Amino acid sequence: MDKFEKLTGIAAPMPLVNIDTDMIIPKNFLKTIKRSGLGVHAFAEMRYDDEGNENPDFVLNKPQYRDTQVLIAGDNFGCGSSREHAPWALADFGIKVVISTSFADIFFNNCFKNGMLPIVLPQEQVDLLMKDAEKGSNARMTVDLENQQITTSEGEVIKFDVDAFKKHCLLEGLDDIGLTLAKASAIDSFETQLSQSRPWV
């Protein structure tokens, strides 16, 4: 998993509330177990018409938001079923940060496990960032995980909270497998001692 330290990128406004995981990645795209290739299907039902043509009114189809890395979302983002394909699709699209007033717990935790940073802020601060994102590609936000702050295109700084352990994992690029491999020497030592003390096992 890539390390997440500091990001400066385009932010897209998506003020819809209760965007669930089926809206993020519809169920007909859940057949794969690969994390790559899902970005093209992210928000498919809002992004494309029945013939597969892009909906020009959908925010991520607009030229100024095609390279979006920060998503400013409405309340209760990622609700619904607990499909991990949802953060996979967002990450594959290129989104690294999602900011909202609240997230569904499973989606929230899955984001961290897939190298994405979900940030919870009060409504008035989300509204401020939403307004900033509406300026388009010329308004770039900076998200600094180390210092736990967001800087708007006009230089206003907003502080955010993040769990210390989850922050450490993102900064070091450690997913669950990475955390286990970090203890490889201790695991090897344990297995050697176990085989010597209990050779019949």
Side-chain angles (χ1 to χ4, degrees):
M1 191 170 77
D2 292 336
K3 294 182 178 181
F4 186 110
E5 297 173 345
K6 189 175 183 178
L7 168 72
T8 297
I10 298 168
M14 192 175 287
L16 294 174
V17 299
N18 301 320
I19 292 180
D20 62 25
T21 53
D22 191 57
M23 293 173 70
I24 297 172
I25 183 71
K27 58 183 178 296
N28 48 306
F29 300 113
L30 303 184
K31 299 174 184 178
T32 182
I33 58 172
K34 296 180 180 179
R35 299 187 186 192
S36 60
L38 289 171
V40 69
H41 305 302
F43 303 108
E45 293 180 358
M46 293 187 287
R47 199 167 156 196
Y48 307 106
D49 63 22
D50 292 340
E51 283 72 45
N53 301 308
E54 288 190 352
N55 171 11
D57 294 325
F58 182 63
V59 61
L60 297 181
N61 288 338
K62 295 180 179 180
Q64 63 268 40
Y65 295 116
R66 286 188 178 272
D67 295 321
T68 290
Q69 291 182 287
V70 181
L71 192 63
I72 315 298
D75 189 55
N76 197 29
F77 189 85
C79 56
S81 63
S82 58
R83 61 190 68 169
E84 195 170 6
H85 292 68
W88 290 359
L90 293 177
D92 192 60
F93 180 87
I95 293 171
K96 304 296 183 186
V97 179
V98 183
I99 301 171
S100 178
T101 53
S102 70
F103 295 89
D105 288 342
I106 294 176
F107 175 84
F108 183 79
N109 289 313
N110 280 339
C111 283
F112 286 102
K113 293 179 180 181
N114 289 281
M116 293 173 55
L117 175 61
I119 299 174
V120 177
L121 291 174
Q123 186 66 61
E124 59 270 21
Q125 292 182 330
V126 172
D127 289 344
L128 187 152
L129 294 174
M130 193 79 71
K131 185 176 180 180
D132 195 44
E134 289 170 356
K135 298 175 183 176
S137 56
N138 291 326
R140 293 174 178 262
M141 293 182 191
T142 297
V143 180
D144 184 345
L145 177 56
E146 179 64 42
N147 295 304
Q148 297 179 210
Q149 63 183 35
I150 302 163
T151 304
T152 69
S153 64
E154 296 184 354
E156 186 168 351
V157 175
I158 295 173
K159 302 290 289 185
F160 63 87
D161 294 324
V162 62
D163 176 82
F165 177 70
K166 289 180 170 65
K167 175 181 178 179
H168 166 75
C169 290
L170 281 182
L171 288 172
E172 298 300 323
L174 296 172
D175 56 12
D176 288 347
I177 294 174
L179 285 168
T180 301
L181 292 177
K183 303 291 184 180
S185 60
I187 294 170
D188 290 341
S189 177
F190 171 79
E191 290 181 342
T192 298
Q193 292 176 6
L194 182 65
S195 63
Q196 292 174 349
S197 63
R198 303 174 66 187
W200 59 87
V201 175

